[in-house]
Amino acid sequence: MSKPKIAIVVGSTRAARFADVPTQWIARIAKSHADIDVEVVDLRDFPLPFFDEVASSAWAPSQNEVAKRWQKKVAEFDGFIFTAAEYNHGPTAVLKNAIDYAANEWNKKPAGFVGYGSVGGARAVEQLRLHAVELQMAPVKSAVHIAWGDFLAVRQGEKKLEELEHLNQAATALVNDVAWWAKVLKAARQADAVAEEVKAA
């Protein structure tokens, strides 16, 4: 079995976003893990309109060409780590919209989160965990929460994320969890596919 492929999804598209900093940091840590392949997926590269299909792609094929390209991209991966800014106690609209534009492509794959902002993005991450469960994903317990003090220190150039050992430890635990679940669930999905082929034969 090939190594699971993990996407690090950049959950903000604002011109002044902070997301690039935690994305690059968690990507370096994830790429050092021997058991997974890692790719950064930037929502700026998938300029999705606000959801405007006749139904979820679980029930009807999407018509929008960017949506189809997005679904194809999501399907490539065996697990996901999302960077999650917190806006008004919730995740960014652009990230929720991107999640809604795919359906079956998320199923039976792990999801992890790197939150930042007020209380470390905890409320945004908590909502995203609920969305992940609805999509039959497996949200992992470990998470990274870049709390306000650390966020300001990094934003103002006083510190770098890699200098904050408590965050490095949290990131390592997160990547380890996502890698483990990605490997297990990939094997299970492959076993299901073989079983379906045998059944259809």
Side-chain angles (χ1 to χ4, degrees), residues 16-156:
R17 69 185 183 185
F18 176 72
D20 295 310
V21 176
T23 296
Q24 293 166 9
W25 168 71
I26 195 69
R28 284 193 297 271
I29 293 171
K31 287 177 180 178
S32 71
H33 199 294
D35 294 338
I36 56 176
D37 289 325
V38 176
E39 180 180 336
V40 172
V41 178
D42 195 335
L43 294 183
R44 285 178 175 171
D45 297 329
F46 298 88
L48 294 158
F50 281 114
F51 188 82
D52 191 28
E53 300 288 338
V54 296
S56 164
S57 61
W59 310 110
S62 296
Q63 300 302 306
N64 182 275
E65 290 302 319
V66 180
K68 289 189 238 183
R69 185 164 61 86
W70 169 244
Q71 291 156 10
K72 184 177 179 181
K73 191 64 180 177
V74 171
E76 293 178 12
F77 297 100
D78 301 298
F80 304 88
I81 296 173
F82 299 91
T83 65
E86 183 170 311
Y87 295 175
N88 299 316
H89 289 208
T92 61
V94 70
L95 178 54
K96 178 59 167 63
N97 190 54
I99 289 171
D100 290 340
Y101 256 111
N104 297 330
E105 296 84 1
W106 302 114
N107 291 176
K108 300 173 183 175
K109 299 174 183 179
F113 304 96
V114 177
Y116 59 91
S118 182
V119 296
R123 293 165 296 209
V125 169
E126 199 64 21
Q127 290 186 34
L128 289 165
R129 289 182 189 278
L130 295 175
H131 304 323
V133 170
E134 177 62 20
L135 290 163
Q136 295 190 64
M137 300 182 81
V140 302
K141 179 179 180 179
S142 299
V144 176
H145 295 285
I146 303 170
W148 192 246
D150 291 336
F151 171 82
L152 287 179
V154 173
R155 183 106 194 189
Q156 294 169 2

Side-chain angles (χ1 to χ4, degrees), residues 25 143-147 149-151 161-173:
W25 168 71
V144 176
H145 295 285
I146 303 170
D150 291 336
F151 171 82
L161 288 175
E162 53 266 34
E163 296 173 346
L164 301 171
E165 188 52 33
H166 59 288
L167 294 180
N168 288 324
Q169 291 176 7
T172 299

